Amino acid sequence: MSSHEPEPHSEFDVPPLTETIAPGTASDPDVTSAETATVTVDGQEVEVEAGSTLLDAVEEVETDEYVPALCHYDRQDIGPRSECRTCMVETDEGVVPACSTPAEDGLDVSTDAAPASEARDVNLDLVLSDHNLRCTTCGKNGRCDLQDVSIENDVEEPRYGVLDDRDEYEPIDDTSDFIQIDRNKCILCNRCVEACNDVQVEGVLRMEGHGGDTRIGFQNGSDTMEGSTCVSCGHCVTVCPTGSLVEKGIEDATTIPLPGFNQKNSVGKVVESADVEKGPMTPMKRDQVTETTRETGGDEERDWP
Amino acid sequence: MSETVGSQRLAVRVAGRESGDVAAAARERADAPVVEAGSTGVPGVEPLLAASDGDETTFYANATPADAEAVADALAGDGALPDGDATVDTADAAALPLPDLDGFGAERSVLARCGWIAPTNPDAYADAVGFTDADPDAVVESAGGVLGRGWGDWSADEPVGPLWEGVRERDGSPAVVVNAHGNPGDALLGESDPFSVLEGAAHVARVVDAVQVFVYVSEDDEAARDALTAAADAYPDFPVDVSVVEGPAAYRAAEPTMAIEAVEGNHRLEARLRPPGPEVEGVFGEPTVVHTARTVAHVAAAVRGEPTDSRVLSVTGDADEATLELTADDALDTALDAAGVSDYTGVLVGGRFGGLTTDLDVTPTPDALDAADLGTDGVLEVLGPDACPVAFVGKRAQFAEDANCGRCVPCREGSKQLTELLRDVYEGSLDRPKIDELMRVMESSSVCAFGQHAPRPVRTGLQEFAEEFEAHAQGTCPAGQCLSDATGEEPARAKP
Ligand code: SF4
Ligand code: SF4
Ligand code: SF4
Ligand code: FES
């Protein structure tokens, strides 16, 4: 056997602090251009500097059609995750996600080509299909990227509906004194995971599961925010584009005052704090365990239809 | 007594897993060498005992230790060989002489040694074909035109040469990943002819000047893992470090970038963004070639000067599993005939997300398969005569929903909505435009081949079995498999 036994993330160029961080996400390649490039967007020539993506070029000009780019953040080493695929544009090489395609000299980008337009609309509706769209009870009402993008994209009735099956709702995690998590509103953009791991270097959050069970979870294996190693810095909340992560105390700040409706009763189930006496510190870092058993399964047969 | 029997004329061979008792019984009695070979690719007849006497080999399917004793006694000169299930002229002692039994097909080239030579004995491989030590330019010259095989190959259906050149020219410490995960043909080569897999990998490693070869297997394919590990240890002068790495058995884990994630030891497998692909940033950020075991076995064959346009195919589903080989001119129905399958509703051609068809007059080349909207992953999944194609494609959509990596919206949420739209057919609604729109977007905007190919069974099924879909929307199942309750009650629905 080899002298190069693979070790999780051990060979990356990272500060020693992050060595044991296991965010559960793929190690993506660099997806920005190496050099200054001139691309054409809807007939207009745009010059972008080295390190740009097609989205940088698209954002420079008035485009023919709106390109939502919902999961895009691209500040502070966060993203592109490129999972929502609402930023598809057409190029000479076919339909590509603008947020994660390097801007290469001479590329011709069109925002109003039918396949790109269709892909953006369908993917945005697919995001909404898994979303608890109860804006009136949501703490991010009026300051939510998903809401902004949906309005801007003229979504009136998402073609696949919205998440409305109460059996599927995950309970709201209300256990932390500082942050409330409602995973029914999470679009899995990964911003919080990257803010926590790559910016704050706290190693609290991770992506876990697969298929419909994909969710944000905690690297120490805790079921609740309270039991995690969170230091309540709040960075994850700052970057969250939806009402999935909201500061405690203002989770109802933008709720439209209908008697009896609020964020906590919007899905019916809430996990409250266990109210155990806590010391002055968060759980010890060295308790932190990472999920070393590899995932298996997912190939099992279910009943049909 | 030699275990290698490259050219021995008198020998007993036992092929397949669970053949230890049979081989032991033969060893007790025989003076002739007894070889334990790996699987032949036709597990239904194994343990398969082969008694070679001079220019003839007699095969005994599902052999027992008693069969082995009788054969050994006969070879020792005590009477005639017992009647076998097939007898074949043995012209070439280095290749399995194909018995006239279901599952073997008519010709073998990369599979020739499977089930015939001792898989992990380097002398047996050296005797049979010999280790070739070609220099990199000669390898590019002879094997650069080989087409990558399988969905786990980073040059699937494309010539491998340009991929190698790109990696060779790039700065860094390149790696080679041999993806032997999941596909029965890849697992068979790993189990029964690991040296040809490693030899092909060694050629590629020399061409790209790699510092490391990783052989990636599913944790479920223990026989392949063990044989590849033993062969890597016994390989004479492998040019670089080589390790055998296991990944989870899940289907998606064979996707080339998830294979790299598994090799790196990531605990949760998720596809990587592309471009750029692994040839630019692969294992630990280094330029990496990812080929399936089939591809590198074809590379080894090309370097030996053998033709490489044959295709390894596995027949699965409502049939006895068999892995065999077709030439580029043989139509797919030849493979089904060879596997003894004559009656079927349809066949899903080209892997889990292949195309569903009843017309198997298609050659197994990428161009022909593509023109017929079929997949190229080398698996022919048979839907038996009683199978309902509507239920089949629905289940396959549900599999995509359950088994995707969870990263991107078109695949994760799209497969869920596709499954829902197919369930709606049972409630009378067959909304073709809506289904077609969703499939187009999954295909054009999913991150990896999983989501890009997931709609194909549905799309081809809707075309091939339009009447069956209509019938379901009207409340009847022509196959009688769905809606078995004639009272009109709703069928039990699985929790989405
Ligand atoms: S508030 Fe907690 S979970 Fe969020 S980024 Fe800070 S440490 Fe991580
Ligand atoms: S909680 Fe917010 S930031 Fe985190 S993945 Fe979900 S939507 Fe993105
Ligand atoms: S296509 Fe499917 S399997 Fe591939 S990245 Fe997207 S969600 Fe994951
Ligand atoms: S913004 Fe490009 S994929 Fe989400």
Side-chain angles (χ1 to χ4, degrees):
Chain A
M1 292 289 273
S2 104
S3 49
H4 292 65
E5 272 306 310
E7 278 279 331
H9 297 263
S10 65
E11 301 198 9
F12 294 110
D13 185 18
V14 288
L17 257 181
T18 60
E19 247 175 30
T20 52
I21 289 181
T25 47
S27 310
D28 286 331
D30 182 17
V31 292
T32 56
S33 62
E35 293 156 11
T36 318
T38 306
V39 299
T40 311
V41 182
D42 292 336
Q44 309 157 72
E45 280 204 352
V46 195
E47 192 181 294
V48 289
E49 56 196 43
S52 298
T53 62
L54 289 185
L55 190 61
D56 295 320
V58 164
E59 283 176 346
E60 284 288 308
V61 297
E62 189 75 30
T63 50
D64 290 347
E65 278 188 24
Y66 172 58
V67 179
L70 173 60
C71 73
H72 169 76
Y73 189 70
D74 201 27
R75 272 164 279 163
Q76 310 164 329
D77 294 326
I78 296 177
R81 169 80 169 165
S82 198
E83 58 93 23
C84 74
R85 303 272 153 165
T86 64
C87 65
M88 304 304 284
V89 293
E90 187 158 280
T91 67
D92 342 14
E93 279 149 38
V95 180
V96 300
C99 71
S100 63
T101 303
E104 264 172 40
D105 220 30
L107 266 182
D108 193 7
V109 176
S110 143
T111 61
D112 65 351
S117 195
E118 176 179 81
R120 293 195 301 267
D121 292 352
V122 166
N123 284 330
L124 181 53
D125 279 0
L126 283 171
V127 173
L128 292 165
S129 74
D130 194 33
H131 194 79
N132 172 22
L133 201 60
R134 296 185 183 228
C135 297
T136 50
T137 63
C138 180
K140 286 271 182 76
N141 193 2
R143 49 188 184 114
C144 164
D145 290 356
L146 179 59
Q147 196 180 47
D148 292 348
V149 150
S150 303
I151 293 167
E152 186 74 19
N153 207 48
D154 296 327
V155 177
E156 279 187 3
E157 216 178 307
R159 37 167 103 39
Y160 311 109
V162 296
L163 179 62
D164 62 352
D165 182 349
R166 278 192 169 258
D167 293 346
E168 280 186 42
Y169 281 151
E170 276 207 56
I172 291 173
D173 181 348
D174 199 42
T175 60
S176 151
D177 286 340
F178 300 96
I179 293 160
Q180 185 188 70
I181 310 182
D182 181 356
R183 291 188 177 81
N184 307 294
K185 295 184 185 291
C186 175
I187 62 165
L188 298 172
C189 68
N190 208 46
R191 285 183 200 177
C192 57
V193 176
E194 286 177 62
C196 185
N197 296 295
D198 302 348
V199 184
Q200 296 296 330
V201 203
E202 283 300 337
V204 178
L205 299 175
R206 71 173 176 204
M207 221 18 105
E208 56 188 27
H210 65 271
D213 298 329
T214 313
R215 68 201 283 275
I216 51 164
F218 304 103
Q219 293 189 33
N220 71 345
S222 170
D223 288 335
T224 59
M225 192 87 183
E226 186 180 37
S228 78
T229 55
C230 175
V231 299
S232 305
C233 69
H235 204 108
C236 53
V237 181
T238 313
V239 299
C240 180
T242 70
S244 188
L245 295 175
V246 179
E247 302 90 335
K248 285 291 285 289
I250 59 167
E251 64 266 43
D252 293 326
T254 55
T255 298
I256 292 173
L258 293 174
F261 282 106
N262 60 34
Q263 162 66 4
K264 264 167 79 167
N265 71 17
S266 76
V267 308
K269 288 174 237 160
V270 181
V271 184
E272 307 277 3
S273 164
D275 266 341
V276 281
E277 196 65 35
K278 273 181 283 189
M281 289 173 65
T282 53
M284 293 295 283
K285 280 287 178 206
R286 63 184 154 74
D287 287 346
Q288 176 170 314
V289 288
T290 56
E291 186 190 318
T292 46
T293 45
R294 295 264 179 82
E295 51 164 348
T296 47
D299 295 18
E300 63 284 327
E301 288 268 302
R302 281 199 275 145
D303 285 342
W304 179 262
Chain B
M1 197 189 314
S2 165
E3 285 283 294
T4 63
V5 285
S7 51
Q8 294 263 5
R9 282 294 180 223
L10 195 66
V12 178
R13 292 178 174 85
V14 193
R17 292 175 215 164
E18 332 265 316
S19 60
D21 293 352
V22 181
R27 248 182 223 119
E28 291 262 299
R29 305 280 187 111
D31 282 334
V34 176
V35 178
E36 276 183 70
S39 175
T40 57
V42 189
V45 298
E46 294 171 353
L48 180 67
L49 183 64
S52 301
D53 186 2
D55 281 342
E56 257 187 7
T57 296
T58 305
F59 288 91
Y60 304 86
N62 306 115
T64 60
D67 294 333
E69 285 168 10
V71 163
D73 287 346
L75 285 180
D78 307 343
L81 276 172
D83 283 345
D85 296 293
T87 298
V88 191
D89 275 349
T90 316
D92 176 7
L96 172 75
L98 293 174
D100 187 12
L101 294 173
D102 279 351
F104 283 90
E107 257 170 279
R108 283 185 174 205
S109 106
V110 281
L111 297 182
R113 289 163 301 283
C114 295
W116 189 246
I117 69 170
T120 57
N121 182 331
D123 296 337
Y125 186 76
D127 266 3
V129 282
F131 290 94
T132 317
D133 227 356
D135 72 77
D137 290 334
V139 172
V140 176
E141 174 90 0
S142 53
V146 167
L147 302 180
R149 262 81 163 171
W151 88 287
D153 198 296
W154 189 249
S155 58
D157 306 326
E158 305 282 338
V160 292
L163 183 75
W164 301 345
E165 304 278 1
V167 170
R168 174 148 80 166
E169 280 159 21
R170 198 154 270 117
D171 293 340
S173 314
V176 173
V177 173
V178 176
N179 189 350
H181 187 292
N183 180 286
D186 292 323
L188 175 65
L189 283 163
E191 173 182 349
S192 297
D193 195 9
F195 283 111
S196 76
V197 174
L198 292 169
E199 188 182 24
H203 291 319
V204 181
R206 283 195 207 94
V207 169
V208 303
D209 206 6
V211 299
Q212 176 82 47
V213 170
F214 298 97
V215 182
Y216 174 59
V217 294
S218 157
E219 63 187 0
D220 275 4
D221 292 333
E222 287 165 36
R225 179 200 59 201
D226 293 348
L228 284 160
T229 307
D233 285 342
Y235 198 98
D237 294 329
F238 199 81
V240 295
D241 269 347
V242 51
S243 34
V244 177
V245 187
E246 271 184 327
Y251 173 73
R252 65 182 169 283
E255 196 277 330
T257 67
M258 290 195 233
I260 289 173
E261 289 281 313
V263 163
E264 287 184 359
N266 207 343
H267 63 281
R268 175 175 172 269
L269 296 190
E270 191 178 78
R272 285 183 183 177
L273 283 183
R274 76 260 348 233
E279 78 281 13
V280 178
E281 283 190 55
V283 179
F284 297 120
E286 302 292 348
T288 301
V289 175
V290 186
H291 285 316
T292 59
R294 280 166 290 165
T295 304
V296 288
H298 279 287
V299 166
V303 172
R304 284 195 294 270
E306 293 166 14
T308 63
D309 57 354
S310 69
R311 316 285 301 185
V312 174
L313 295 171
S314 302
V315 179
T316 67
D318 299 332
D320 291 331
E321 185 170 323
T323 296
L324 44 83
E325 213 167 321
L326 289 191
T327 69
D329 308 321
D330 289 331
L332 296 175
D333 35 25
T334 336
L336 292 166
D337 286 349
V341 178
S342 53
D343 203 7
Y344 46 80
T345 302
V347 177
L348 190 80
V349 176
R352 298 254 186 141
F353 298 134
L356 187 56
T357 186
T358 52
D359 176 11
L360 294 155
D361 189 14
V362 180
T363 57
T365 60
D367 285 349
L369 292 167
D370 199 45
D373 205 0
L374 304 173
T376 57
D377 195 28
V379 177
L380 304 175
E381 187 174 348
V382 177
L383 273 68
D386 303 327
C388 170
V390 177
F392 177 82
V393 302
K395 278 188 165 171
R396 199 43 56 94
Q398 190 174 57
F399 169 78
E401 177 191 346
D402 292 342
N404 69 72
C405 81
R407 175 164 190 159
C408 71
V409 165
C411 175
R412 185 187 68 235
E413 305 301 335
S415 57
K416 182 172 169 183
Q417 294 304 325
L418 184 60
T419 308
E420 289 299 325
L421 289 170
L422 292 171
R423 283 209 183 96
D424 290 346
V425 173
Y426 288 83
E427 270 141 43
S429 156
L430 174 57
D431 192 341
R432 278 300 296 268
K434 201 170 177 183
I435 295 174
D436 290 342
E437 175 190 66
L438 177 57
M439 293 195 297
R440 275 197 304 274
V441 172
M442 289 177 71
E443 283 165 356
S444 71
S445 63
S446 290
V447 169
C448 79
F450 187 107
Q452 289 158 10
H453 294 169
R456 187 161 49 201
V458 181
R459 194 184 61 244
T460 50
L462 276 163
Q463 228 154 40
E464 189 83 31
F465 297 99
E467 283 173 25
E468 278 82 352
F469 276 89
E470 285 298 340
H472 280 75
Q474 310 292 329
T476 55
C477 172
Q481 203 195 62
C482 317
L483 315 157
S484 50
D485 189 343
T487 61
E489 250 177 57
E490 268 192 43
R493 288 182 54 147
K495 210 175 121 44

